[in-house]
Amino acid sequence: MIPSGPGPDGHSRCSWCLATDRYIHYHDHEWGFPVADDRRLFEKISLEAFQSGLSWYTILQKRDHFRAAFAQFDFHQVARFTDTDVQRLLQDAGIVRHRGKIEAVIHNAARAVEMVAQEGSLAAFFWRFPPATPGQGTALLAQTAESQALAKALKQRGWKFVGPTTVYAFMQSMGMVNDHAPDCVTRAAVEQMKKDFQPPR
């Protein structure tokens, strides 16, 4: 069972978000809500790659810096970054200065441009991998058959830093999976939005 606890307003929430107001705001307004905007999807999968080995709170604290550093995650612009940009980013204390992850985001931006040309949008591609059963918020999972399939499909297209665990966190973040705890106050809001959401084709 995914643990939950009372928030500052007395409502039950997923316990992972209760440490800070920043976490609560992200949990209440972003995590699990379905996303179809390509730039936001590229941002989410890029930040999940940066999060590997770190806490999500570290990434959330630095998110505005990441956005400024990576052209608001406009992947058409990021795909044109050069080694000069890599060196600039390695000197930027506002982000995670990991050369492999920085280079992967730039590399993946070029793959994203290719995907849009081939598939119409990133959203149309990603939303082909919904879970066979919706998240119930009852299991602590690191990866699933669907995240393994999406990770494999991305790697076949040349994407980097997209292992099945990173991809599952991305699927949670973008709303493909609703892993809010069963008694979490935000779970019902996510479910309602998912009912009204039309996955891109």
Side-chain angles (χ1 to χ4, degrees), residues 16 46-47 61 92 99 110 159 171 177 181 184:
W16 62 262
S46 298
L47 292 182
Q61 282 184 303
D92 189 342
R99 178 183 287 274
W159 291 59
M171 293 168 77
V177 179
C184 172

Side-chain angles (χ1 to χ4, degrees), residues 13-86:
R13 287 176 171 82
C14 304
S15 61
W16 62 262
C17 80
L18 298 176
T20 71
D21 289 343
R22 188 191 297 265
Y23 247 174
I24 291 173
H25 187 273
Y26 171 74
H27 166 276
D28 286 2
H29 299 282
E30 292 189 57
W31 193 69
F33 289 90
V35 174
D37 178 77
D38 278 2
R39 186 199 59 78
R40 288 187 64 203
L41 289 168
F42 185 70
E43 174 183 312
K44 285 178 177 294
I45 200 166
S46 298
L47 292 182
E48 292 296 350
F50 270 108
Q51 187 270 333
S52 179
L54 302 170
S55 74
W56 179 244
Y57 188 66
T58 297
I59 303 302
L60 203 56
Q61 282 184 303
K62 294 176 177 287
R63 184 163 64 168
D64 287 342
H65 293 284
F66 275 112
R67 287 171 171 169
F70 285 97
Q72 304 301 314
F73 289 97
D74 179 339
F75 49 87
H76 293 278
Q77 291 190 49
V78 177
R80 296 193 292 269
F81 280 14
T82 66
D83 189 59
T84 299
D85 293 291
V86 174

Side-chain angles (χ1 to χ4, degrees), residues 68-135:
F70 285 97
Q72 304 301 314
F73 289 97
D74 179 339
F75 49 87
H76 293 278
Q77 291 190 49
V78 177
R80 296 193 292 269
F81 280 14
T82 66
D83 189 59
T84 299
D85 293 291
V86 174
Q87 296 306 317
R88 168 181 61 84
L89 293 166
L90 286 170
Q91 300 302 314
D92 189 342
I95 67 170
V96 175
R97 292 178 288 182
H98 184 292
R99 178 183 287 274
K101 294 177 181 179
I102 289 169
E103 291 179 341
V105 169
I106 297 169
H107 173 86
N108 289 347
R111 306 291 77 75
V113 172
E114 294 170 354
M115 184 177 288
V116 170
Q118 295 164 356
E119 307 293 341
S121 68
L122 302 186
F125 180 82
F126 289 137
W127 280 97
R128 292 178 195 161
F129 295 84
T133 56

